[in-house]
Amino acid sequence: MNTEKYKLIVENEMAPHHILVFKQHKTRRDVYESCWVLALNNLTSVKEFVFEDRLYVPNGANVLNAYDIDSQKLIGQRQFEDKEMIWAEMRPEQGVLYLYCHDEDGQSASFHILRADDLSEVKSFELLDNFTHSKAFDLDAKGNPLFYYNYYHEENECWAHSYLTLDLESGAVAEHNLSDAPRTDEDVRRPFVNAEKGFALMPYWEKLSLNKEAKGRITIPFRVKFIDLETFEDRGVFKLLDYPYSDLEFLQSFVDRFVDSLEEAEFGSEEYDELMAKVYGKLESVWIEPSEGDSWCVFDGGILVRIDGEGKASEPLVVMATRDSDEELKYKPGLHLSIEGLDPFKGFLLQDQTSLRYFRMPFKLEELNGEDGEIPKRLKSAMPDKLRMRDEDELAIENLGVTLIQVADFKQASVVEALEKMTEFVENLSPSEHGLNLAFRVCDAKGKTMDEEAFFNKAAGLKTVAPMVEALVRTFLKVKDSELFRYDAETRSLAYAVNALAQKDEAYLPLVEAYLANMDWEHDVFCQSEMIPELESRYPDSALVKKISDILEDYYG
């Protein structure tokens, strides 16, 4: 959660997980400079929070850490034995943190209120079984939690959804059934809540209709409904836009396939439900202005639509992906345009898997009605100066997930020393402490570095040192679940060491066989694209090459 003073970039998809913290400049209030790279082994989908000058981070399923941002030190930790954190919310005005947890087998749930200063528990509630099925969590106008869930009712053979409420004063719980349930439990488009105005907004699940326009263009009417959070009844259904489906698919053939499938599938069938879920999943996020009640709806491809509290929608204001021809897109669909926490009349954050960019809108507030300019509007200029990276933080990110091995130089004695340090590190390897990233980089006293490929090629070429490389690999293979440790997303740990030995001497083929015996083939690229072809070239008649061929043939069918 961003604040005026701090902005966070969170990487919890690709390892190594980390949080990049930006702090507001002392004199230029619109500029933020990186101040800390916090590397953690197991970030989850549960939100991170900044409160005052403290950062609260769930690390793994059942550990909550609190850090002082200035000193970059851990100042508090709360562990939940036999529980998994599912959702968290900071209540800065009360100085407390809300946490919602499941037990490890998902059979029961609990709600906890913690003091922000020391993470001590103020109050907790044990919840009914239905709470364990919740898919989304919010707070109502009184600060009480709302739990949304949808499910398939086996007895009635229909989809259903409801809100569960918890009164934090009395502990009373209640269930409120809703109409027009999403017909899927995969990536459900949850309600987006405006607690201050007392309503929630969500896609209106109905039979899809197609608008077939000139040149094969396909649009789909996209409607949303408002839910009253006092009565839990519908306030109304409103059309947002005709979603330009054909404009935002990668290929025209994908569009044709979708249309054919939709026309052939029977409404209410599983096939039709899957197609509906694909369409309604195009609504990426919604930001609702607390006081005014206007909702800013962001769709896949960067389409932005504003809908006011009465249900009146604007024209699409921003489009970040358009089709240049029948076969190509100008921008790749799927970029996430985030407007949460920012003034939507000034600018937006665009976040994808690798970057965070700030864009200023190319029009003023009075131009939003589209009367005097291009519709749809387009984002024009990124402003990277708003988020500044320090050199030391760029270096820290570059070295994330890498264990630096310091030596005096790269002579043979230092190579031996480096291998001894690596072996000692692997002997004490712990996933809970180190995560599943295992990659080495060797650095000498002058700052010169060698990556694993260069280092192990050098070490394997030294006749008296090569056995130490083999010993390192065999030590690694004794580690529990060693096949899960990664050098990077495409390479298993120590693959470069094994490859270097295999290229030097046939005597190391038994080591190669042991290494490949418990491979995670699904996530391997290096061994299949580089190591194994080299083995086939060098040792075409070996029993190992024949065995590898049989293994891969069996794996791929």
Side-chain angles (χ1 to χ4, degrees):
M1 181 183 73
N2 294 322
T3 66
E4 182 179 0
K5 187 175 181 180
Y6 295 103
K7 305 294 180 189
L8 305 178
I9 298 180
V10 180
E11 175 53 80
N12 60 6
E13 296 290 336
M14 298 291 293
H17 294 174
H18 63 275
I19 298 175
L20 180 56
V21 182
F22 289 85
K23 187 175 182 179
Q24 192 175 45
H25 194 274
K26 291 181 179 180
T27 57
R28 293 191 58 187
R29 311 307 291 174
D30 61 338
V31 173
Y32 291 81
E33 185 177 58
S34 63
C35 64
W36 187 20
V37 179
L38 173 61
L40 292 166
N41 299 328
N42 191 18
L43 284 173
T44 69
S45 59
V46 180
K47 280 198 298 189
E48 301 76 20
F49 296 96
V50 174
F51 175 59
E52 296 178 343
D53 291 302
R54 297 190 293 272
L55 173 64
Y56 300 85
V57 182
N59 187 27
N62 54 14
V63 177
L64 177 66
N65 290 339
Y67 298 90
D68 177 78
I69 295 177
D70 288 333
S71 66
Q72 301 181 8
K73 291 183 179 179
L74 181 69
I75 58 174
Q77 187 176 81
R78 183 66 184 263
Q79 295 192 21
F80 294 86
E81 294 185 5
D82 303 323
K83 294 181 183 292
E84 295 183 2
M85 291 179 290
I86 306 298
W87 171 74
E89 187 70 50
M90 177 64 71
R91 303 291 287 165
E93 71 280 3
Q94 301 174 20
V96 297
L97 183 70
Y98 289 172
L99 279 176
Y100 169 68
C101 302
H102 286 180
D103 64 355
E104 291 183 344
D105 59 5
Q107 297 301 308
S108 63
S110 58
F111 189 86
H112 305 263
I113 304 177
L114 306 180
R115 288 170 56 94
D117 54 1
D118 61 5
L119 299 183
S120 63
E121 189 163 273
V122 177
K123 191 183 290 187
S124 65
F125 303 87
E126 296 300 319
L127 303 176
L128 301 174
D129 289 348
N130 279 353
F131 281 85
T132 64
H133 303 297
S134 298
K135 300 286 178 63
F137 317 92
D138 288 285
L139 300 175
D140 65 16
K142 297 178 181 179
N144 291 318
L146 296 166
F147 302 86
Y148 171 81
Y149 82 113
N150 79 303
Y151 62 100
Y152 185 76
H153 199 294
E154 296 288 350
E155 185 176 343
N156 296 335
E157 297 183 345
C158 67
W159 287 94
H161 64 154
S162 64
Y163 261 121
L164 299 165
T165 57
L166 168 65
D167 189 306
L168 296 180
E169 290 295 325
S170 65
V173 297
E175 182 171 359
H176 310 274
N177 294 320
L178 306 172
S179 63
D180 308 308
R183 300 182 58 83
T184 179
D185 57 2
E186 298 292 334
D187 297 324
V188 63
R189 296 295 91 185
R190 66 177 181 87
F192 297 91
V193 168
N194 183 326
E196 187 171 322
K197 293 294 183 179
F199 72 84
L201 176 153
M202 70 179 299
Y204 177 59
W205 288 67
E206 61 179 342
K207 185 175 182 179
L208 298 174
S209 58
L210 300 178
N211 298 327
K212 298 183 178 181
E213 302 178 4
K215 298 182 179 180
R217 189 169 188 262
I218 300 293
T219 62
I220 302 175
F222 197 107
R223 294 177 175 86
V224 295
K225 73 171 183 175
F226 285 73
I227 303 170
D228 189 298
L229 293 180
E230 287 191 12
T231 64
F232 294 95
E233 296 178 353
D234 292 349
R235 283 189 182 179
V237 177
F238 306 94
K239 178 180 170 181
L240 268 183
L241 79 163
D242 288 317
Y243 182 78
Y245 190 88
S246 59
D247 292 357
L248 297 174
E249 274 290 7
F250 286 98
L251 297 173
Q252 184 62 40
S253 59
F254 292 1
V255 179
D256 297 338
R257 190 180 309 154
F258 172 82
V259 172
D260 291 342
S261 299
L262 187 66
E263 292 177 341
E264 293 173 4
E266 181 180 352
F267 179 68
S269 67
E270 185 175 344
E271 293 78 12
Y272 199 99
D273 290 347
E274 290 177 357
L275 296 169
M276 291 177 71
K278 183 176 183 180
V279 171
Y280 291 119
K282 298 296 184 181
L283 181 59
E284 290 278 346
S285 64
V286 176
W287 184 75
I288 303 176
E289 295 180 55
S291 57
E292 298 299 325
D294 286 1
S295 305
W296 297 77
C297 303
V298 180
F299 289 83
D300 182 35
I303 299 176
L304 175 66
V305 177
R306 183 182 63 167
I307 180 170
D308 63 26
E310 302 301 319
K312 183 179 179 181
S314 70
E315 293 289 327
L317 300 176
V318 178
V319 176
M320 298 193 59
T322 56
R323 186 181 293 279
D324 276 347
S325 67
D326 287 343
E327 299 300 327
E328 295 183 358
L329 287 170
K330 180 179 267 187
Y331 301 102
K332 181 181 178 181
L335 294 177
H336 181 65
L337 182 65
S338 173
I339 49 181
E340 183 176 358
L342 291 178
D343 182 349
F345 303 136
K346 293 182 179 178
F348 302 88
L349 284 175
L350 170 65
Q351 186 165 8
D352 57 27
Q353 288 187 346
T354 59
S355 64
L356 183 75
R357 286 169 281 168
Y358 182 79
F359 291 81
R360 184 170 297 280
M361 298 294 286
F363 47 86
K364 299 177 181 179
L365 175 60
E366 57 267 22
E367 295 175 328
L368 289 177
N369 57 18
E371 292 179 355
D372 64 340
E374 174 195 10
I375 290 292
K377 300 287 185 180
R378 299 188 184 279
L379 296 175
K380 290 186 177 178
S381 59
M383 299 196 298
D385 60 311
K386 298 296 180 182
L387 294 169
R388 296 178 176 176
M389 284 286 291
R390 298 183 305 175
D391 292 342
E392 55 264 43
D393 291 325
E394 288 185 347
L395 181 62
I397 290 178
E398 181 182 340
N399 289 327
L400 281 173
V402 175
T403 300
L404 290 175
I405 303 295
Q406 298 285 346
V407 292
D409 50 45
F410 292 111
K411 296 179 180 178
Q412 181 166 323
S414 293
V415 172
V416 170
E417 180 187 354
L419 286 168
E420 290 173 344
K421 290 181 177 180
M422 291 178 184
T423 303
E424 181 181 1
F425 185 87
V426 170
E427 287 174 342
N428 298 289
L429 194 59
S430 168
S432 60
E433 182 179 352
H434 304 107
L436 292 175
N437 278 87
L438 177 62
F440 294 109
R441 186 174 297 149
V442 184
C443 181
D444 70 6
K446 297 180 179 179
K448 183 180 178 181
T449 63
M450 293 181 72
D451 62 15
E452 281 198 12
E453 183 175 14
F455 175 79
F456 287 126
N457 281 338
K458 180 179 180 67
L462 300 172
K463 188 174 181 179
T464 58
V465 178
M468 294 185 65
V469 179
E470 179 183 17
L472 169 64
V473 175
R474 292 198 180 277
T475 300
F476 168 69
L477 294 178
K478 294 177 183 178
V479 175
K480 183 180 179 181
D481 297 326
S482 65
E483 71 276 9
L484 300 180
F485 286 85
R486 314 299 299 173
Y487 173 84
D488 59 29
E490 298 180 341
T491 311
R492 184 185 177 188
S493 294
L494 295 187
Y496 288 111
V498 176
N499 191 47
L501 291 172
Q503 292 185 39
K504 297 299 180 183
D505 198 317
E506 190 173 3
Y508 292 111
L509 291 189
L511 175 68
V512 177
E513 181 175 358
Y515 183 82
L516 297 179
N518 62 344
M519 282 291 294
D520 178 7
W521 296 110
E522 181 181 355
H523 298 100
D524 167 77
V525 174
F526 175 81
C527 289
Q528 295 178 68
S529 63
E530 297 191 38
M531 182 190 298
I532 292 175
E534 183 67 24
L535 290 172
E536 292 172 339
S537 175
R538 286 178 179 271
Y539 315 110
D541 300 323
S542 69
L544 175 60
V545 167
K546 176 63 168 62
K547 188 172 184 178
I548 292 172
S549 177
D550 291 342
I551 290 173
L552 292 179
E553 183 176 347
D554 181 64
Y555 177 77
Y556 287 108

